[in-house]
Amino acid sequence: MSRRIVIVGNGPAGHRLAELLGARAPGTDVTVLGAECEPAYNRVLLPSVLAGRLTAEATYLAQHPEGRVRVRTGVSVASIDRQQRNVRTGEGVVLPYDHLVLATGAACFLPPLRGLADEEGQPAKGVVALRTLADCRLVEDRLPVRGRIAVLGGGVLGLEVARALTERGYGVEVVHGGAHAMDRQLGPAAGALLEGALDGLRVRVLAGRTATAWTGDRLALDDGSSVPADLLIVCAGVVPETSLARDAGLRVGRGVVVDEYLRTSDPRIHALGDCAEVGGEVSGLIAPAWEQAEVLAGVLTGEPRPYTGTRTITRLKVRGVDLAVIGVGEREVAGAETVVLTDPSRGQYARLSVLDSQVVGAVLLGFPDSVAAVGQLFDSGAAAPNDRLSLLMGRAVAGPAPDPGALPGQTVICRCSNVTKNDLATAWLRGAREEAELAQATRATTGCGGCRGSVREICQWLRTKHDQPDADAGRTGEEPDRPVDRLSPSHPRRDAHHDPVPELLAP
Ligand SMILES: Cc1cc2nc3c(=O)[nH]c(=O)nc-3n(C[C@H](O)[C@H](O)[C@H](O)COP(=O)(O)OP(=O)(O)OC[C@H]3O[C@@H](n4cnc5c(N)ncnc54)[C@H](O)[C@@H]3O)c2cc1C
C-alpha cells in the first residue's frame, strides 16, 4: 500500500506542499482537505480583487496535474485521532494517514467590541472580517451605492483594503488603535508621512483611537466621537487556526508549535504556514509559507533540511504610495549603524540599518529607486557600500545587476505569487510574449508589483534569446524605466511540474 499523506487546509501553504509532493513523490497518496469551497487561491491578491483590478479566478493557484493529488474542497476536518492515525471530517468521513500536515492558516481577529459580533461570534450586520474570497464577495454585495465605509485596523492589510475601495470611488476612514498607521513596522516620522500620503488618496486614518462599539451604522470611539459607516471592514489582525491541534493534544502556543523540520509534538504530524509557530514566531506572511512548503516537501521525501527563517520584504500594495519595509524595518538592532533621510515636504523617508556591513533593515517611503538595490543587499548579505546616502538616493548600485540569462531557473522573481524565472520562461514559450501576458499567465507582478522591473528584464532577455539563439543571453541594454526590483537569486526553489523546454529553461 502506498504511503498516505493528508494535508488539512487548501490555502497557499497546503496547495504548494501538495504540488511539490505530487511532483517529487509520485508513489505517495496525497489528499488535501480544504474547508473553503473554492479551488486554492492566493490570498495576497484579494485587495486587487476588491479594487476591481483582478477577477476571483485570476487569484487561483495552478491546478495539480491529473492524478497526482486528490483535492476535496468544501470539506472541513473536525478531529484527529492520533492513536488510530486518522482524521474525521465534519460529515463524519474518516481518512487514515501515515503523515498528517496541518496547513490550517489563520482566521480574522474580531476585537471584543460591543456590537461587532452576533450571538454565534460571527461578524454582526454591516460588518465583514476580511480573509477569504467569500468575504470579498460579501463586501461587494454590501457596498453602499454612495455611502460611507470604515475600516477597523490601520496595519498593512487595513490600509490596502481602504485604498482598494478608494480606487472604486469611495472615501474610507480607517480607525487604528496604534499611535499611527502601520505602527508595528514604522516609527512616528514615517507613520505621519504615510498618513499624509493616504489622506491625499481619500484614505483618512484616525490613529490613536480605540473603537468601543459598533451600532449598525456607526463606530463609536473612546473619545466620545463616532465614525458613521454603512459598511465596516475589520482588518485587526489574525489568530492562527490551532483548534484541531489543541483538541488532539498537540503542543500549541500562539500557533501549532513545530521544530525546525516543521514537526509538531507528534512526529507523524507536521504544520506549516500561518498556523505554525516556529522558533517562537508565527509569521502571518506568504513568503515563509512558500518556503516552509519547500522545507516540508524535503522532509517528507527523505531530503530533510531545517527551516532557518525567511528574509522578508513587505511592500505596501497601495496605489500611489511606494513603501517597502525590509528585514527588521525600523526596529532597533543592538550595534547597528543607522542612516535616516527625510524630506517631509515631498513625503519621503528612508531609514537604513547596517550591522557588520550588512543591511539588516530598512524603511523606504517614496524611494522607489533604492528599494531594489537595498533589497538585493539584504537578500544576498553582500557588504553595503560605504556611501550609504548614495545607496538610499538610488545612485549607488549594489554591484552590477544580475544577468537574467545567468540566473538559476528556480530563482523566485515574484515573492507574492512564488513565480520563478523558469515559470516565466515556460509561460513565454507557451505564447505569453509581453509583460502583461506573462503577468496574466503566471500572476507575477499582480501582488505588490515590486517584481515589475525584473519581469520586464526577463521578458526582454527571453525575446533576445529566442530571436537570436546564439546571442549573449545577457542584458539587452534597455533599462527598465523604474527598476523597482532587480533580479535577485535569493530564493531558489525547485519546480513542481513544468514541461521541459531546454533552451530557455535554466537548471
Ligand atoms: C487580504 C489579504 C492580503 C494579504 N496580503 C499579504 C501580502 O501582501 N504579503 C504577505 O506576505 N502576506 C499577505 N497576506 C497573508 C497571507 O495571505 C498568508 O500568510 C497566507 O495566506 C498563509 O497561507 P496558509 O496556507 O498558511 O493559510 P491560509 O491562507 O489561511 O489557508 C488556510 C486554509 O485552511 C483551511 N482550513 C482551516 N481549518 C481547516 C479545517 N479544519 N479543515 C479544512 N480546512 C481548513 C482554511 O479554510 C484556509 O482555506 C494577506 C492576507 C490577506 C487576508
Side-chain angles (χ1 to χ4, degrees):
M1 194 175 53
S2 55
R3 190 169 60 128
R4 297 156 304 187
I5 299 180
V6 173
I7 301 172
V8 185
N10 194 27
H15 176 274
R16 178 74 186 139
L17 175 66
E19 186 175 47
L20 293 168
L21 291 174
R24 293 187 204 164
T28 305
D29 180 353
V30 180
T31 303
V32 186
L33 303 170
E36 291 182 70
C37 296
E38 324 262 353
Y41 60 90
N42 189 352
R43 236 171 267 293
V44 167
L45 305 179
L46 295 188
S48 303
V49 174
L50 276 186
R53 272 184 275 116
L54 283 185
T55 62
E57 291 71 29
T59 67
Y60 289 175
L61 297 167
Q63 269 188 9
H64 301 299
E66 194 74 23
R68 296 213 181 146
V69 173
R70 211 173 305 125
V71 180
R72 300 271 181 268
T73 54
V75 174
S76 198
V77 171
S79 61
I80 304 168
D81 184 333
R82 287 169 53 199
Q83 262 68 47
Q84 298 299 318
R85 283 200 216 127
N86 64 43
V87 295
R88 181 180 290 271
T89 71
E91 273 111 41
V93 177
V94 173
L95 247 98
Y97 66 80
D98 297 302
H99 295 277
L100 178 66
V101 177
L102 299 176
T104 49
C108 276
F109 171 63
L110 268 186
L113 191 68
R114 192 154 35 88
L116 201 64
D118 63 18
E119 279 134 28
E120 273 135 39
Q122 297 305 309
K125 191 161 165 281
V127 180
V128 178
L130 192 94
R131 179 75 187 172
T132 65
L133 263 176
D135 298 329
C136 287
R137 290 193 191 98
L138 268 184
V139 170
E140 198 64 45
D141 288 349
R142 293 178 187 176
L143 275 180
V145 181
R146 204 181 287 112
R148 301 144 305 180
I149 301 176
V151 170
L152 185 57
V156 175
L157 181 55
L159 300 181
E160 291 181 355
V161 166
R163 174 59 179 139
L165 293 171
T166 65
E167 283 185 49
R168 306 266 302 265
Y170 293 95
V172 182
E173 291 188 283
V174 178
V175 175
H176 185 58
H180 53 79
M182 281 180 66
D183 58 313
R184 283 180 60 193
Q185 291 86 4
L186 306 179
L193 292 176
L194 174 62
E195 286 176 13
L198 290 166
D199 209 47
L201 299 167
R202 300 186 66 211
V203 176
R204 193 166 147 243
V205 180
L206 303 169
R209 317 267 174 90
T210 304
T212 53
W214 167 248
T215 60
D217 62 357
R218 57 184 55 236
L219 192 59
L221 307 183
D222 58 350
D223 61 359
S225 66
S226 67
V227 176
D230 303 290
L231 173 64
L232 175 66
I233 304 177
V234 180
C235 301
V238 294
V239 188
E241 190 55 73
T242 57
S243 53
L244 270 183
R246 196 184 300 275
D247 292 350
L250 298 173
R251 203 172 143 222
V252 171
R254 279 204 299 144
V256 183
V257 176
V258 291
D259 67 10
E260 67 271 40
Y261 295 98
L262 307 177
R263 278 178 307 218
T264 68
S265 47
D266 177 337
R268 291 268 175 179
I269 306 180
H270 293 78
L272 81 167
D274 275 10
C275 71
E277 178 180 323
V278 197
E281 301 275 329
V282 287
S283 101
L285 293 172
I286 196 83
W290 299 132
E291 204 164 328
Q292 288 170 14
E294 288 283 341
V295 168
L296 189 47
V299 169
L300 292 171
T301 54
E303 291 177 33
R305 68 172 167 94
Y307 175 70
T308 52
T310 303
R311 287 173 171 260
T312 55
I313 299 181
T314 303
R315 292 198 76 151
L316 186 67
K317 303 192 295 294
V318 159
R319 280 208 165 176
V321 177
D322 201 300
L323 171 62
V325 179
I326 296 172
V328 299
E330 297 219 46
R331 223 170 50 226
E332 293 292 339
V333 175
E337 163 204 337
T338 56
V339 181
V340 180
L341 202 61
T342 178
D343 181 352
S345 66
R346 300 186 63 192
Q348 289 179 296
Y349 177 92
R351 187 180 198 271
L352 179 74
S353 297
V354 177
L355 182 65
D356 298 333
S357 296
Q358 292 187 339
V359 172
V360 288
V363 164
L364 300 164
L365 174 61
F367 285 87
D369 293 345
S370 49
V371 173
V374 177
Q376 192 192 324
L377 287 169
F378 171 70
D379 266 345
S380 64
N386 287 333
D387 187 349
R388 317 276 205 243
L389 281 184
S390 291
L391 177 67
L392 288 179
M393 297 301 291
R395 289 199 295 260
V397 292
D403 170 359
L407 282 180
Q410 313 312 330
T411 304
V412 174
I413 304 298
C414 170
R415 295 166 199 261
C416 293
S417 295
N418 202 31
V419 179
T420 62
K421 176 186 153 188
N422 272 1
D423 293 332
L424 289 166
T426 304
W428 200 87
L429 286 160
R430 289 181 180 157
R433 298 297 161 90
E434 303 295 332
E435 285 157 50
E437 291 166 347
L438 285 174
Q440 199 180 12
T442 63
R443 314 284 192 254
T445 74
T446 58
C448 74
C451 62
R452 214 163 277 136
S454 303
V455 171
R456 189 173 308 158
E457 289 189 0
I458 288 181
C459 187
Q460 286 164 356
W461 168 75
L462 287 165
R463 200 172 292 135
T464 311
K465 179 83 177 151
H466 190 257
D467 292 348
Q468 310 159 34
D470 296 332
D472 173 19
R475 294 158 58 77
T476 60
E478 187 191 336
E479 284 295 329
D481 53 13
R482 202 186 112 195
V484 287
D485 192 9
R486 291 168 64 203
L487 303 166
S488 160
S490 56
H491 289 280
R493 78 151 160 85
R494 289 173 58 181
D495 263 5
H497 57 81
H498 291 303
D499 300 341
V501 196
E503 331 77 83
L504 294 181
L505 291 188

